[in-house]
Amino acid sequence: MKHLLSTLDLSRADAIRILDIAEEMAAVGTREVKKLPALRGRTVVNLFFEDSTRTRISFEAAAKRLSADVINFSAKGSSVSKGESLKDTAQTLQAIGADAVVIRHGASGAPARLAATDWIDAPVVNAGDGTHEHPTQALLDAFTLRNHWARVNGTSTLGTDLTGMKVAIVGDILHSRVARSNLWLLRTLGAEVTMVAPPTLLPHGSNVWPCAISYDLDATLAGGIDAVMMLRVQGERMHASFFPNTREYSRLWGFDDARLAALDAQGQTETIIMHPGPMNRGLEISSAAADSPRSTVLEQVSNGVAVRMAVLYLLLSGDQLRPSGL
């Protein structure tokens, strides 16, 4: 695996292999000494042009647990604020000997551009680009879903996929890179996906995506769902009015206390509630739902370190994955 830019690039076998290796990496986190010497002497650069807390810290923890050296780069306070281009920044990283670059950028396609050029000869990991993709978030979500699905069915996780699992992705689909990456990956792993949102928050062309589209969250939940993935309303990307007001959005498409109680009343005892974070409590999800036993929010954060350890290990160990479709 040379780069990780999109979940569309992963075959079923590739995805399962990453998740299986992540299982082994997760075990490292339970040890007294949470370290492996696998990447000793390697340098991983976190190149973040957008604000981030969870993703940057998660990648940093993953690299350090593999004994790699980590350089954190933030566009704020750097030469980027003086007008330095992505090309010049990449060539600077090449000159200091970066062995892998984890990049988050506000422009869709920036990681692919970096990977396709000769600006830097190092593996590139997409940590989120514009409204395009966020592949490691989708992988950690799939890891969380697979663990839950195995518990429900009383099976082992290793080597398994998500065949038969029903997942609803709810909210701001239009601006969400998480939704897109999850859709491609979950379909590859055999899950049935339903996108739930107001029509104004669904992207043009979503009608041909390999998923069901719903405008009614209550009807979707009543139909039986194994996991509900709530998305953050990304106000910073909205330059128009996509819904009348926050109260109406919360009432129609937020996971509130009433919908949490409805799951219990409908006997859906195994349905889990997910959120990639950060959460807007009281808007797309209530505090009761976010803090309930059904919530996997903190489990997702923990699983993110293991999944990113697996990705960095595969990229920097020279272990090759089969290209998708072969």
Side-chain angles (χ1 to χ4, degrees):
M1 185 166 72
K2 175 62 176 172
H3 307 289
L4 179 60
L5 305 174
S6 167
T7 54
L8 270 174
D9 298 333
L10 297 175
S11 67
R12 177 182 177 278
D14 293 339
I16 288 176
R17 188 167 181 216
I18 293 172
L19 297 181
D20 286 349
I21 292 175
E23 291 276 3
E24 299 176 34
M25 298 301 181
V28 175
T30 64
R31 300 176 185 173
E32 185 174 349
V33 179
K34 299 176 177 61
K35 280 271 192 178
L36 290 175
L39 300 183
R40 183 178 295 157
R42 302 295 188 94
T43 300
V44 176
V45 177
N46 288 328
L47 184 59
F48 278 62
F49 292 86
E50 282 190 325
D51 294 338
S52 171
T53 301
R54 291 161 184 76
T55 302
R56 183 183 59 78
I57 291 174
S58 183
F59 269 110
E60 183 175 359
K64 287 182 175 179
R65 286 188 184 182
L66 292 170
S67 301
D69 297 316
V70 180
I71 298 174
N72 288 317
F73 172 98
S74 174
K76 291 181 179 178
S78 74
S79 294
V80 171
S81 62
K82 301 176 183 178
E84 183 173 77
S85 67
L86 177 60
K87 177 180 179 179
D88 292 332
T89 301
Q91 290 178 330
T92 299
L93 299 180
Q94 173 80 2
I96 66 174
D99 294 297
V101 176
V102 177
I103 177 172
R104 167 167 287 190
H105 203 286
S108 298
R113 173 67 173 159
L114 185 60
T117 65
D118 59 358
W119 300 340
I120 188 168
D121 183 25
V124 175
V125 181
N126 181 359
D129 60 329
T131 59
H132 179 228
E133 285 221 36
H134 193 350
T136 58
Q137 179 68 46
L139 283 163
L140 75 88
D141 289 340
F143 186 86
T144 305
L145 288 166
R146 191 173 74 154
N147 286 346
H148 173 70
W149 199 229
R151 286 195 297 269
V152 169
N153 294 310
T155 60
S156 170
T157 55
L158 292 177
T160 62
D161 60 15
L162 301 176
T163 298
M165 192 173 204
K166 296 181 179 180
V167 181
I169 301 177
V170 184
D172 187 1
I173 310 292
L174 178 64
H175 302 101
S176 177
R177 52 198 174 206
V178 173
R180 289 163 173 80
S181 284
N182 263 295
L183 174 59
W184 314 138
L185 183 61
L186 296 181
R187 290 295 297 149
T188 295
L189 292 172
E192 300 174 28
V193 180
T194 300
M195 296 286 190
V196 186
T200 51
L201 288 178
L202 284 168
H204 178 72
S206 59
N207 59 304
V208 299
W209 283 0
C211 64
I213 300 291
S214 172
Y215 309 118
D216 189 331
L217 177 55
D218 292 315
T220 301
L221 294 175
I225 289 293
D226 299 300
V228 185
M229 186 181 299
M230 305 305 298
L231 300 174
R232 182 173 68 88
V233 175
Q234 299 188 39
E236 74 279 7
R237 299 187 192 276
M238 295 182 180
H239 304 295
S241 180
F242 291 90
F243 46 85
N245 53 61
T246 56
R247 180 178 296 180
E248 177 167 317
Y249 182 92
S250 180
R251 180 175 63 84
L252 294 176
W253 296 286
F255 203 99
D256 56 15
D257 295 0
R259 292 187 172 103
L260 180 63
L263 286 183
D264 295 329
Q266 293 163 6
Q268 298 189 53
T269 58
E270 301 293 347
T271 301
I272 57 174
I273 304 168
M274 309 178 73
H275 196 299
M279 294 181 287
N280 293 313
R281 288 175 182 254
L283 180 52
E284 71 261 5
I285 189 169
S286 69
S287 288
D291 299 330
S292 74
R294 294 178 182 272
S295 173
T296 64
V297 174
L298 294 180
E299 184 183 347
Q300 288 169 262
V301 174
S302 177
N303 290 341
V305 177
V307 164
R308 288 166 177 135
M309 286 175 71
V311 168
L312 291 173
Y313 171 77
L314 284 168
L315 287 172
L316 289 171
S317 68
D319 204 338
Q320 296 296 312
L321 290 176
R322 292 186 299 276
S324 179
L326 298 182

